[in-house]
Amino acid sequence: MLEVLAIIISLVLLIYLAFKGWSVVLIAPVLATVGVILTGLFLGQPGTIHIMATYTEVFMKALGNYVKQYFPFFMLGAIFGTVMDYSGSAKSIANWIFDHLGGGKEALAVVVACALLTYGGVSMFVVVFAIYPIGAILYRKANIPKRFLPGSIAAGAFCFTMTCLPGSPQIQNTIPMRFFGTDAFAAPVLGIIAAAFQFIVIMLWLNTRIKKAMANGEGYGDHPNENIAKVDESNLPSFGAALLPIIVVIGLNLVLSKAVYISAHAAAFKYLEDPDTYNTTLSSVAGTWSLVIALIAGILVCLFLNMKRFSKGPVETLKDGVQGSFLAIMNTASEVGYGNVISSLAGYQILAGALSSLAGGNPLISGAVFTTVLAGVTGSASGGMSIALSTIGDQLMEQADKAGITYQQLHRCVAIASGGMDSLPHNGAVITLLMASQMTHKESYADVGMITVVIPLISAVLAIVLATLGVQ
């Protein structure tokens, strides 16, 4: 069992250093190497310690493959989020929601604003920075303890819109498409039920916690250095104009994935199967093509409607969006590289065997457990899911065929599970959220953890039960 201890030591160090603010791009390969060295030493096999080979042939190969497969989603998502942010569209949508849901419903207003933006394709990181200033002002006016604001933002940005709702363009909902040949709208009823469960339980948790704290005399608190900038809102787009790019992304994605890139039209795309050129199939690329085209269309619509609102000009705005995608994908790709190194170690095989025995051959359980555990190891929902599906994706499909489970159900259950243990304290989005809101783990993580870890894990169990009963 010492080989398992090697993984635990490596992971604990990763969590600790990420918690302390170290760059994941820097520490992931270092701590993957630590895992390799400790495994070789603990097993008394120093000859198995091949640091440079592990770095170039395992870590970097996994990192490169991840970038190759998912960079379009990160880049276009970041550009879309940037044009929505710089044009004032995100602010306009948030203001409209706050105006219509304020006055005793401040937590609900924050959750709904974040949910609408992330479901529309705006990056969760953009949403954090866009919503925090408005949410802070709203909570201060209502004298709601500020320590609940990170949980409220996380509820809308990091949960049901990321993994449950059919059609979500977030990366966590798009990764399974490549493995299962599904689209972003896989198992819509299952996803909507899981999303409704998360939303209802999250709001019950938040409202109960807020009311109890305020009843005990706790108020907003003393936060003198918030540095919340005053925004000139005289030139914001209307709510309808701000919402239109989001409608375009969701609507066009739906039309393309359900009416254009479908098996009935497979003959027109027969050229994809040429082994000397593309060597793929329509079902493998349909989801990717639909979402890429939808995001491009949404970006163009936002640019067209707000051309004069970009203070930097459209060219610089697009450049900022591209730049913003680099750190996001490199952080995640580095975590994927780390996870692939860990999955190559002897200790991982022991853990994998234990997880498989717990699943009992049920592909829904196996996929969910592997995904959420690896998401916890890497601190990334998309990273953990990519490793899990790369490792056991084919096995899951074989088991599903035998058990009469559809790939759409697999897609949705795995996606929901990825949003469980991913947001442990070392998760990059959690750290960014707490830094942006100037709160600490000690002050706010109890609620963030309940909202982004515990409740999503319960919803994953619910989804597995419903899928087993045939819900799609």
Side-chain angles (χ1 to χ4, degrees):
M1 295 298 289
L2 285 176
E3 52 267 50
V4 176
L5 180 61
I7 292 177
I8 294 174
I9 292 173
S10 173
L11 177 60
V12 169
L13 287 173
L14 176 66
I15 293 174
Y16 176 77
L17 293 177
F19 178 80
K20 289 295 185 180
W22 284 70
S23 168
V24 172
V25 176
L26 177 64
I27 62 175
V30 174
L31 293 175
T33 302
V34 169
V36 172
I37 293 173
L38 290 178
T39 297
L41 294 177
F42 287 165
L43 291 175
Q45 300 173 351
T48 63
I49 301 174
H50 305 295
I51 294 175
M52 292 310 300
T54 299
Y55 177 67
T56 59
E57 302 308 310
V58 182
F59 183 91
M60 286 305 301
K61 186 176 290 186
L63 182 151
N65 285 338
Y66 187 86
V67 173
K68 172 188 173 184
Q69 292 172 4
Y70 301 113
F71 181 65
F73 297 127
F74 278 88
M75 181 185 70
L76 293 173
I79 292 174
F80 183 71
T82 301
V83 297
M84 288 290 289
D85 185 19
Y86 285 19
S87 67
S89 298
K91 184 76 69 178
S92 176
I93 292 170
N95 285 348
W96 188 92
I97 292 172
F98 289 141
D99 289 343
H100 288 77
L101 289 180
K105 297 184 179 67
E106 290 80 10
L108 177 62
V110 171
V111 173
V112 171
C114 292
L116 181 58
L117 290 173
T118 50
Y119 187 52
V122 179
S123 163
M124 64 180 68
F125 295 98
V126 172
V127 172
V128 166
F129 290 105
I131 298 299
Y132 162 68
I134 308 173
I137 294 171
L138 204 65
Y139 273 42
R140 182 185 287 276
K141 286 181 180 179
N143 202 31
I144 296 173
K146 188 185 177 184
R147 64 189 176 94
F148 295 112
L149 182 55
S152 304
I153 294 173
F158 301 173
C159 295
F160 52 93
T161 55
M162 186 176 82
T163 62
C164 299
L165 287 178
S168 172
Q170 297 298 327
I171 188 71
Q172 294 79 7
N173 187 45
T174 62
I175 288 175
M177 299 188 310
R178 185 176 186 87
F179 294 92
F180 300 141
T182 51
D183 58 50
F185 295 88
V189 176
L190 190 62
I192 290 171
I193 293 174
F197 173 84
Q198 286 193 20
F199 176 75
I200 291 170
V201 177
I202 285 170
M203 292 313 306
L204 286 173
W205 173 266
L206 274 175
N207 288 330
T208 300
R209 292 272 291 165
I210 289 171
K211 287 178 181 178
K212 182 177 180 180
M214 295 180 73
N216 290 334
E218 185 179 351
Y220 184 77
D222 184 22
H223 305 282
N225 300 315
E226 291 182 304
N227 297 321
I228 299 175
K230 293 183 178 180
V231 178
D232 178 14
E233 301 190 5
S234 61
N235 193 36
L236 293 179
S238 67
F239 174 71
L243 194 62
L244 185 58
I246 292 177
I247 294 173
V248 168
V249 171
I250 298 172
L252 188 55
N253 185 22
L254 177 62
V255 170
L256 291 173
S257 61
K258 296 298 184 182
V260 178
Y261 299 129
I262 57 177
S263 57
H265 301 159
F269 300 92
K270 197 70 176 177
Y271 64 89
L272 290 171
E273 300 176 17
D274 185 342
D276 296 325
T277 50
Y278 306 108
N279 194 28
T280 187
T281 62
L282 177 61
S283 62
S284 298
V285 298
T288 299
W289 288 6
S290 299
L291 188 53
V292 165
I293 294 172
L295 283 169
I296 291 173
I299 292 167
L300 293 175
V301 169
C302 189
L303 287 172
F304 176 77
L305 293 176
N306 302 284
M307 192 62 69
K308 295 182 179 180
R309 291 190 175 92
F310 297 106
S311 59
K312 289 187 173 184
V315 174
E316 289 300 316
T317 297
L318 293 173
K319 187 186 296 183
D320 284 353
V322 173
Q323 293 283 347
S325 69
F326 293 153
L327 182 59
I329 193 168
M330 287 306 299
N331 275 333
T332 304
S334 295
E335 292 167 339
V336 170
Y338 170 84
N340 271 270
V341 172
I342 295 300
S343 67
S344 70
L345 301 179
Y348 175 80
Q349 305 308 317
I350 296 174
L351 292 175
L355 293 175
S356 295
S357 64
L358 287 174
N362 185 318
L364 297 173
I365 299 176
S366 297
V369 171
F370 267 89
T371 296
T372 197
V373 169
L374 286 170
V377 169
T378 61
S380 166
S382 58
M385 192 192 317
S386 295
I387 298 169
L389 296 184
S390 296
T391 305
I392 63 169
D394 292 339
Q395 175 186 331
L396 292 177
M397 288 190 287
E398 290 176 7
Q399 292 176 343
D401 290 337
K402 293 177 182 177
I405 294 169
T406 68
Y407 297 162
Q408 287 75 21
Q409 291 170 316
L410 269 179
H411 173 136
R412 189 56 55 205
C413 288
V414 167
I416 294 170
S418 75
M421 291 176 64
D422 68 310
S423 37
L424 294 176
H426 65 300
N427 174 267
V430 170
I431 294 172
T432 300
L433 170 61
L434 294 175
M435 289 177 60
S437 57
Q438 298 182 343
M439 303 301 289
T440 65
H441 280 75
K442 182 178 179 180
E443 292 171 314
S444 295
Y445 187 74
D447 293 289
V448 171
M450 174 60 72
I451 288 166
T452 65
V453 177
V454 178
I455 294 173
L457 284 176
I458 296 173
S459 74
V461 174
L462 173 64
I464 290 170
V465 172
L466 291 176
T468 303
L469 295 174
V471 176
Q472 298 202 55

